[in-house]
Amino acid sequence: TILSTDYIILVNTGEARTITLPAASSTSITGNTGVMYIIKDRTGTANTYNITVNVSGGGNIDGSASKTINTSYGNLMVFSEGGQWYTYG
C-alpha cells in the first residue's frame, strides 16, 4: 500500500505485483486533492511480471477498478482530485 508520504514508487518485479493506492477521498494535502504518484517498473520485467495498480476501498482509476503496467520499464502516473484517481501522461 502506498503511503501519503510516497511520491515515486520503484517496483522490483521478479513476480507479479499489486500496488494499492489509498482512497482518493483520503489522499489530498487537504484531503488528498492534488496528490500525485509515479509507479515505475525498476527492473524492466513488467512485460513478464505485470504490475497491477488498484485503489483501496474499491475506488477507480479513470473509471476502471485497476490499471496494469505490462511493458518493460513502464510507468503509471496518477493524481487525485479528491474523489477519483486519474492517469496523467
Side-chain angles (χ1 to χ4, degrees):
T1 299
I2 296 174
L3 303 174
S4 62
T5 54
D6 293 331
Y7 176 64
I8 299 173
I9 297 90
L10 298 174
V11 182
N12 294 321
T13 53
E15 61 183 302
R17 301 274 187 205
T18 299
I19 304 297
T20 303
L21 298 171
S25 61
S26 68
T27 57
S28 76
I29 298 164
T30 59
N32 282 339
T33 301
V35 169
M36 179 179 280
Y37 296 114
I38 300 169
I39 299 113
K40 171 80 176 164
D41 171 21
R42 182 180 188 173
T43 54
T45 55
N47 61 324
T48 302
Y49 304 110
N50 294 174
I51 302 166
T52 302
V53 181
N54 61 24
V55 182
S56 177
N60 289 322
I61 306 167
D62 284 346
S64 298
S66 65
K67 294 288 182 181
T68 302
I69 300 170
N70 57 8
T71 57
S72 296
Y73 299 103
N75 67 70
L76 180 69
M77 295 186 295
V78 296
F79 69 94
S80 168
E81 46 72 75
Q84 178 170 301
W85 288 100
Y86 296 93
T87 58
Y88 177 79

